[in-house]
Amino acid sequence: MKRISAFFLALALCLGLAVPAFAADENTSPEITLQGPENSGILMESKTETYSVVGFVRSTDGAVVAYLDNKTIEGASTMLVPTGVDIIVTGAKSEDEVVFTAWTDSRQQLFLLEPEKGAYLAPIPKDAKGYELPADGNIEATGNPTAAQLGFNAAQDGTITCNSDRLYELFETNTLLRITVGESFWLFQLSGEPKLISSIFTDVPVGNWVTDPVVWAVRNDITNGAGKDKFSPGKDCTQAQILTFLYRAARGEGEATAEDVEKAINWAREKGMIDDTFDSNKPCTRAAAVNYIWQAFDKPSAQASSFTDVPTDAPYSHAVDWAVEKGVTRGSSDTAFSPDKVCSRGEIATFLYRAYN
């Protein structure tokens, strides 16, 4: 006997898509992140859009027909998923708890499940309002396949990696995906070819040590570059620049503008990070960099490091201890920190990337 899984009803569908993620208990909720290959230069993006979707229910003659037309979901925040990235799920109990729902051209996609063939999309006959289900009783139809049914299995550490190339085998570009894990869910949209950081900054190549940090900085509005099409990763970073980066990171959402420089200096002065001797144009040394970052993180304690060029009574010594323990920097060698060495913009972006990740 052919089985059809439960499909979305009107109210449940609308409420379910209204926000990007929901969890009954935030302390135990799973997480989903997008991840490209290391230093791939892929810029992850999101958008807020109004969607019109169609759900399905079973009809009396065994076909699946449209149930809900032209219902809009206002202001849904959606992560764009390009080719060549992974959707990483952590905190799920199993692959079967991770459930996919997809809409293409506002129509919910129906999957057919065969023991030998696995999951694949059910065809829609030309000019049909819904799907005609196959007569084979061994085939199960569902609008909500699990990660396991789509071929995504959990690793030993429990993470489930959903490769976007597999999703592009199943769906068309612009397909809207809802991934549900327990009581939490997220919205994604297949966006096609990835946007690379090299298309924004011509001096940040793919595959370089500075690639991922600059991608992170752009994605989080930490910087808009040093000029048109340039990040200038090898240029000396000034005291004003690192404070501006830190201010924007602490602020959270907000477009990076030139006015942020003055705001950042005032913010740093209010936090006691600088005093009246502050020189905004002075190059930022390694000692100053870790000291500013440490203070921005409210001066956490850490085990003492053992660099021969960092006196224990130096005003930045505790910052160096924390930066090493946190993995912000490992020093310039096993025994030296080089506190007076001037940092480049690329190095500062890397320090901040490590500190915040």
Side-chain angles (χ1 to χ4, degrees):
M1 183 69 177
K2 182 169 50 198
R3 294 173 295 155
I4 300 181
S5 300
F7 291 98
F8 287 104
L9 297 180
L11 183 60
L13 179 67
C14 292
L15 292 179
L17 283 174
V19 293
F22 169 81
D25 184 353
E26 292 185 0
N27 295 324
T28 60
S29 63
E31 295 183 357
I32 295 183
T33 56
L34 284 182
Q35 180 178 306
E38 185 176 7
N39 290 322
S40 61
I42 297 176
L43 185 64
M44 306 300 181
E45 298 179 288
S46 62
K47 67 176 182 178
T48 300
E49 193 165 319
T50 297
Y51 295 101
S52 176
V53 298
V54 178
F56 293 96
V57 294
R58 186 178 182 179
S59 68
T60 56
D61 61 359
V64 177
V65 298
Y67 174 81
L68 177 67
D69 291 311
N70 300 323
K71 273 290 185 179
T72 58
I73 288 78
E74 302 284 348
S77 180
T78 308
M79 285 296 299
L80 303 183
V81 181
T83 56
V85 303
D86 292 326
I87 301 176
I88 308 294
V89 182
T90 56
K93 296 177 182 178
S94 70
E95 305 98 315
D96 291 325
E97 191 187 26
V98 181
V99 177
F100 287 74
T101 309
W103 292 267
T104 300
D105 295 329
S106 302
R107 183 190 297 270
Q108 185 179 340
Q109 298 295 294
L110 181 68
F111 280 84
L112 300 180
L113 308 177
E114 289 188 61
E116 299 298 327
K117 192 173 181 180
Y120 60 97
L121 283 176
I124 304 177
K126 187 176 181 180
D127 301 325
K129 292 183 178 180
Y131 297 96
E132 294 294 335
L133 299 181
D136 189 340
N138 293 323
I139 297 176
E140 179 182 354
T142 177
N144 303 283
T146 66
Q149 290 168 335
L150 294 183
F152 303 129
N153 299 309
Q156 289 186 348
D157 61 1
T159 60
I160 301 167
T161 300
C162 306
N163 183 260
S164 70
D165 291 344
R166 164 62 173 157
L167 298 176
Y168 278 92
E169 291 176 1
L170 294 168
F171 304 110
E172 301 172 0
T173 301
N174 295 323
T175 294
L176 177 66
L177 297 175
R178 187 180 86 159
I179 302 180
T180 304
V181 187
E183 296 184 25
S184 305
F185 63 82
W186 292 259
L187 289 181
F188 299 91
Q189 187 171 31
L190 301 185
S191 56
E193 291 296 318
K195 182 177 181 180
L196 301 180
I197 192 65
S198 56
S199 66
I200 299 175
F201 299 131
T202 57
D203 57 356
V204 180
V206 170
N208 190 271
W209 62 272
V210 79
T211 305
D212 280 349
V214 176
V215 167
W216 169 82
V218 171
R219 174 73 181 87
N220 291 279
D221 293 309
I222 305 300
T223 179
N224 50 15
K228 184 179 180 181
D229 303 328
K230 302 292 182 182
F231 181 78
S232 300
K235 187 177 180 180
D236 288 351
C237 184
T238 67
Q239 303 264 358
Q241 286 171 339
I242 185 174
L243 290 183
T244 303
F245 295 163
L246 279 169
Y247 164 72
R248 289 168 177 162
R251 176 183 63 186
E253 294 183 1
E255 184 179 355
T257 66
E259 289 75 21
D260 290 339
V261 178
E262 183 176 353
K263 294 177 182 178
I265 293 173
N266 292 334
W267 167 79
R269 185 171 286 112
E270 290 174 0
K271 285 183 67 69
M273 297 166 64
I274 59 175
D275 56 26
D276 292 338
T277 64
F278 173 74
D279 183 353
S280 61
N281 294 318
K282 185 178 179 180
C284 183
T285 63
R286 287 172 54 84
V290 296
N291 201 27
Y292 285 143
I293 300 171
W294 176 66
Q295 291 179 85
F297 276 75
D298 296 324
K299 303 179 180 179
S301 58
Q303 293 184 348
S305 55
S306 57
F307 294 118
T308 57
D309 56 356
V310 179
T312 56
D313 60 351
Y316 53 84
S317 63
H318 293 308
V320 172
D321 297 339
W322 171 80
V324 172
E325 185 176 279
K326 179 77 172 177
V328 175
T329 178
R330 293 182 295 273
S332 56
S333 72
D334 291 339
T335 58
F337 182 75
S338 302
D340 296 326
K341 183 178 181 296
V342 174
C343 294
S344 67
R345 286 170 51 85
E347 288 170 332
I348 293 299
T350 302
F351 289 169
L352 293 177
Y353 172 69
R354 293 170 178 168
Y356 283 93
N357 292 279

